[in-house]
């Protein structure tokens, strides 16, 4: 009886195998890219205080800047509307982890800490930290040793890579944290701070805004290496789409044209 039962079970398994092979595999779970297209919106996080990448107008509650223009181009490529979510540099990582947005734009630097939480697009800009000071003082602050002296006042905005860089390298000079990144360069222009170390792209832009008053110090030879990119929630399909979209923009000249409108 035992041998008959075993044989019967073996026969049943052999008969069932072709049927199982013919059964379709369950559909894969949707990616974030699929979700974005299905809901018709792309949620983009912006700090709105880092021109020329992004600026927020509290009166009209709208954003403008280089990465706003890029976000609109990405939304058009996806066939969806862009919903902007205001965040801040101190809250950026927490808001990202809480899934407040699908991606972050607006001048985000690639860091390994951020890489642990999400993924980055291909880089859009290569640069690093460099000083900006009153034009008459640029010769005083060419090196970190010249900056890190008693009596020198270094100003930083809180919560981002600028503050991290300053606190890593500055031990003797005075560091002042200024919370309003939209007015921080006026503090230097008016003599309440001597310099700020920030991304070379920002020093060039602020030099243009404060022509003859503030000057970027060797922006072509920054103190360190950094790249900017778009910070994405971890999704292979979304990253592949954004990377390909950026590659096309870089090859067809539209990326360079956008850069020229905001940085040159």
């Amino acid at each position: 009886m035992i041998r008959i039962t075993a044989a019967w079970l073996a026969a049943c398994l052999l008969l069932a195998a072709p049927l199982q092979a013919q059964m379709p595999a369950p559909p894969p779970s949707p990616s974030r890219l699929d979700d974005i297209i299905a809901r018709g919106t792309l949620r983009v996080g912006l700090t709105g205080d880092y021109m020329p990448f992004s600026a927020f107008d509290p009166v009209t509650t709208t954003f403008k800047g280089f990465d706003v223009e890029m976000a609109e181009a990405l939304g058009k490529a996806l066939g969806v509307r862009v919903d902007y979510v205001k965040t801040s540099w101190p809250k950026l990582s927490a808001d990202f982890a809480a899934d407040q947005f699908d991606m972050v734009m607006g001048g985000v630097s690639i860091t390994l800490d951020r890489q642990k939480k999400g993924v980055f697009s291909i880089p859009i800009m290569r640069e690093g930290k460099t000083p900006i000071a009153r034009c008459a003082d640029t010769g005083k602050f060419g090196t970190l040793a010249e900056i890190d002296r008693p009596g020198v006042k270094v100003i930083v905005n809180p919560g981002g890579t600028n503050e991290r860089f300053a606190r890593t390298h500055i031990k003797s000079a005075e560091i002042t944290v200024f919370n309003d990144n939209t007015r921080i360069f006026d503090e230097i222009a008016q003599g309440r701070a001597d310099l700020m170390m920030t991304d070379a792209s920002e020093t060039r832009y602020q030099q243009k805004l404060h022509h003859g008053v503030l000057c970027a110090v060797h922006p072509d030879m920054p103190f360190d290496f950094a790249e900017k990119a778009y910070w994405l929630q971890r999704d292979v399909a979304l990253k592949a789409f954004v990377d390909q979209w950026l590659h096309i923009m870089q090859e067809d000249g539209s990326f360079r044209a956008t850069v020229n409108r905001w940085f040159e």
Side-chain angles (χ1 to χ4, degrees):
M1 184 66 181
I2 294 174
R3 288 196 298 271
I4 294 172
T5 302
W8 180 78
L9 287 172
C12 288
L13 289 173
L14 287 172
L15 289 172
L19 294 175
Q20 291 174 347
Q22 294 173 11
M23 291 178 62
S29 57
S31 68
R32 183 175 291 265
L33 177 64
D34 294 327
D35 291 341
I36 290 166
I37 294 171
R39 71 173 180 252
T41 57
L42 172 69
R43 300 172 303 153
V44 174
L46 290 172
T47 62
D49 63 354
Y50 187 12
M51 282 298 284
F53 294 99
S54 78
F56 179 73
D57 186 336
V59 176
T60 62
T61 65
T62 58
F63 289 90
K64 67 176 181 179
F66 168 79
D67 272 331
V68 176
E69 192 169 329
M70 290 293 290
E72 292 297 325
L74 176 56
K76 183 177 180 181
L78 286 165
V80 301
R81 184 182 75 253
V82 180
D83 283 350
Y84 297 103
V85 181
K86 193 172 188 310
T87 183
S88 66
W89 297 111
K91 291 175 50 189
L92 185 61
S93 290
D95 287 348
F96 185 90
D99 198 16
Q100 295 296 305
F101 20 71
D102 301 303
M103 63 187 296
V104 186
M105 303 175 79
V108 179
S109 297
I110 296 174
T111 69
L112 295 179
D113 284 341
R114 289 169 179 163
Q115 184 75 41
K116 293 174 186 176
K117 298 179 177 68
V119 294
F120 283 97
S121 69
I122 58 174
I124 64 167
M125 195 171 292
R126 177 174 177 165
E127 55 180 1
K129 302 300 181 190
T130 201
I132 182 169
R134 290 181 296 280
C135 294
D137 295 338
T138 54
K140 301 177 181 179
F141 305 124
T143 67
L144 285 168
E146 290 173 323
I147 293 169
D148 192 19
R149 292 179 290 111
V152 175
K153 297 179 180 179
V154 178
I155 195 166
V156 298
N157 58 311
T161 57
N162 290 339
E163 182 180 11
R164 192 175 308 129
F165 182 86
R167 296 200 182 280
T168 298
H169 296 281
I170 301 302
K171 306 302 178 184
S172 298
E174 176 186 343
I175 297 176
T176 299
V177 177
F178 191 79
N179 288 318
D180 189 348
N181 204 36
T182 64
R183 297 189 296 110
I184 194 168
F185 295 95
D186 295 333
E187 295 295 296
I188 305 171
Q190 294 168 13
R192 290 189 285 270
D194 293 314
L195 74 142
M196 179 178 178
M197 292 180 288
T198 185
D199 298 322
S201 58
E202 186 173 33
T203 66
R204 290 189 179 99
Y205 179 77
Q206 292 297 331
Q207 175 180 261
K208 183 170 66 173
L209 287 186
H210 299 82
H211 181 70
V213 178
L214 298 183
C215 288
V217 182
H218 53 63
D220 294 326
M221 296 182 293
F223 290 139
D224 66 350
F225 164 78
E227 290 179 314
K228 293 194 183 301
Y230 298 139
W231 193 19
L232 314 168
Q233 297 287 354
R234 193 172 285 119
D235 182 76
V236 173
L238 178 60
K239 173 175 166 52
F241 187 94
V242 172
D243 285 350
Q244 187 62 46
W245 163 75
L246 277 171
H247 174 67
I248 291 169
M249 287 197 71
Q250 289 167 348
E251 292 298 320
D252 69 12
S254 52
F255 178 81
R256 172 47 56 187
T258 310
V259 168
N260 290 344
R261 280 193 291 275
W262 289 99
F263 290 92
E264 302 302 329

